[in-house]
Amino acid sequence: MAVSHITGSGTTPDADPEASTDRFDDGYRAAIIGTGFMGQVHSHAIRAAGGRVVGVAASTSDSARAARRNLGAERAFTDSRHLIDSDDVDVVHVCTPNHLHGPLAIAALNAGKHVVCEKPLSTDAATAAEMADAAQGAERVGTVPFVYRFHPMAREARDRVRRGTIGRVVLAHGSYLQDWLLRPGDDNWRVDPDLGGPLRAFGDIGSHWFDMVEFVTGDRITRLCAQTSTVNPSRGGGDGRPVGTEDLVTVQFALRGGAVGTSVISQVSAGRKNRLLLEVSGTEATLCFDQEQPEFLWQGERERSALLMRDPDTLSPDARRLARVPAGHPQGYQDCFNAFVADTRDAIAGEAPDGLPTFADGLRAAHMAEAVLESARTGTWAEVSG
């Protein structure tokens, strides 16, 4: 899929007689740059948080106009620069290919906007650091959608680790497996390192898993040893084009508190659609969370094991806060995203929601990616900065 640079000519937004003139809650006036799947997810979450999707910009003005209705946006902007400068936009959601994250987010922060930027925050740690510094310097909220944190049962796991229910953490392991790039004919802009960055599987989904292991354990990975593999050396059908990014990554790691762990990240595991699995073992018990079965948390002990259901009446306070419907009424991915944007809204209003992933967390993931790159290149252990 070809991706054009989002321009900044400063032209006026397209007049659209069909655009809504309704005014919703002016406390969260958001605009979205990018009109793909993630743009749709963000637009749903903005409205669920009581906000307005003021406008949308895309790689072309025609794409923006075509996506306006689908995203529930009030109008289409002909370019991202005018969207960023618009007086009725308070929050910019960046949902573009990865190489555009840095320039767009920094421009929005410099214009006084709050920013929600898709992960990975940037294709390199230096730019991610600039983005985090820009958010701090502008005194604006910058958040990254590590949304699996917002599954109630993931929060329940975190709370049980915090309270010492499982004892001292000694092991963390798991995987994030997909199959959408299994075949040589499967292709996407993320495969191109100029657009997606030097790490694809790790940057796209591995960043989620490693954010989760640090979030749930409350500990930091200090060093790691990684190996990468490109299963399909060319993609795109016919003669194809060479692939410069990995299809899968395996990582050994050590946590500051003394625990050790392993992870397998793959976008070529047949039959696995979006399986993020995290298991944390302590000296007293083990917890296991499976993102494809998010209504449950498994807890195993020497004498017994139990499958805990997402029931607001029995959960810890933070998990209960995120359980929006009664037990037996399933919640899922979009609910996590809705909760993430609602917490971003509250942070902009001056609150301090627990567990909200910020640009500092995005920078942390970028440091992790750099360590993976170094380790895979040298075949040795690498220290994780930050």
Side-chain angles (χ1 to χ4, degrees):
M1 179 176 69
V3 179
S4 302
H5 196 295
I6 299 178
T7 60
S9 62
T11 55
T12 56
D14 292 342
D16 188 341
E18 295 179 353
S20 170
T21 57
D22 292 343
R23 292 295 185 235
F24 303 105
D25 179 8
D26 283 349
Y28 197 90
R29 302 181 300 175
I32 301 170
I33 306 176
T35 59
F37 167 70
M38 292 315 306
Q40 297 176 43
V41 172
H42 281 248
S43 70
H44 285 300
I46 291 164
R47 293 194 301 273
R52 291 164 47 202
V53 183
V54 173
V56 60
S59 55
T60 67
S61 57
D62 286 343
S63 295
R65 281 193 295 268
R68 183 195 62 78
R69 183 184 294 276
N70 193 38
L71 269 61
E74 295 175 19
R75 65 185 188 274
F77 286 88
T78 55
D79 68 86
S80 60
R81 184 70 247 185
H82 195 88
L83 179 152
I84 287 169
D85 289 338
S86 181
D87 290 338
D88 62 350
V89 173
D90 300 316
V91 190
V92 175
H93 286 239
V94 179
C95 306
T96 65
N98 304 339
H99 71 300
L100 297 175
H101 289 179
L104 291 172
I106 291 172
L109 290 164
N110 289 341
K113 313 299 186 184
H114 305 281
V115 177
V116 177
C117 183
E118 265 301 325
K119 47 92 275 292
L121 190 59
S122 178
T123 56
D124 63 273
T127 303
E130 290 178 20
M131 296 166 74
D133 289 344
Q136 185 175 18
E139 298 183 341
R140 289 295 179 266
V141 172
T143 60
V144 183
F146 288 130
V147 295
Y148 298 124
R149 293 183 177 197
F150 290 83
H151 278 298
M153 300 314 285
R155 292 290 175 113
E156 184 66 19
R158 178 181 181 236
D159 181 78
R160 289 176 182 235
V161 172
R162 276 179 162 181
R163 289 189 286 113
T165 301
I166 69 169
R168 176 173 56 87
V169 175
V170 296
L171 174 67
H173 65 98
S175 58
Y176 197 155
L177 309 176
Q178 297 177 334
D179 71 356
W180 69 290
L181 289 171
L182 175 65
R183 299 187 176 94
D186 298 329
D187 206 0
N188 183 266
W189 60 260
R190 292 172 176 83
V191 173
D192 186 345
D194 291 336
L195 303 179
L199 284 175
R200 185 223 317 154
F202 188 88
D204 188 26
I205 59 177
S207 56
H208 273 299
W209 194 92
F210 280 87
D211 177 76
M212 280 286 283
V213 74
E214 291 195 338
F215 182 70
V216 170
T217 64
D219 205 353
R220 289 265 176 149
I221 293 171
T222 57
R223 60 194 186 101
L224 56 80
C225 185
Q227 55 181 338
T228 63
S229 176
T230 302
V231 176
N232 294 306
S234 64
R235 288 187 180 275
D239 293 335
R241 57 185 176 85
V243 172
T245 53
E246 86 287 359
D247 289 316
L248 58 88
V249 189
T250 63
V251 185
Q252 258 186 294
F253 57 87
L255 290 156
R256 184 174 296 153
V260 297
T262 63
S263 179
V264 177
I265 309 299
S266 170
Q267 294 179 318
V268 291
S269 292
R272 294 298 187 187
K273 302 308 177 184
N274 197 52
R275 189 175 191 244
L276 184 156
L277 181 77
L278 173 62
E279 184 162 305
V280 179
S281 293
T283 52
E284 300 296 330
T286 294
L287 298 171
C288 185
F289 174 75
D290 180 352
Q291 195 275 149
E292 288 189 340
Q293 302 291 331
E295 293 290 281
F296 303 98
L297 176 68
W298 181 83
Q299 179 169 318
E301 301 174 18
R302 182 71 176 269
E303 297 81 10
R304 67 188 67 83
S305 63
L307 194 61
L308 310 172
M309 176 178 282
R310 182 195 57 77
D311 184 348
D313 292 337
T314 62
L315 296 178
S316 59
D318 194 37
R320 186 182 311 124
R321 175 180 76 90
L322 297 172
R324 303 301 175 92
V325 294
H329 299 73
Q331 289 185 208
Y333 174 75
Q334 186 67 57
D335 296 288
C336 290
F337 228 101
N338 295 352
F340 159 71
V341 171
D343 276 6
T344 298
R345 173 204 63 201
D346 292 345
I348 291 170
E351 300 180 25
D354 182 42
L356 178 64
T358 67
F359 276 16
D361 298 295
L363 175 58
R364 173 68 180 166
H367 284 307
M368 202 91 66
E370 288 208 334
V372 167
L373 274 174
E374 179 186 350
S375 176
R377 178 180 60 81
T378 63
T380 60
W381 284 78
E383 301 296 316
V384 180
S385 302

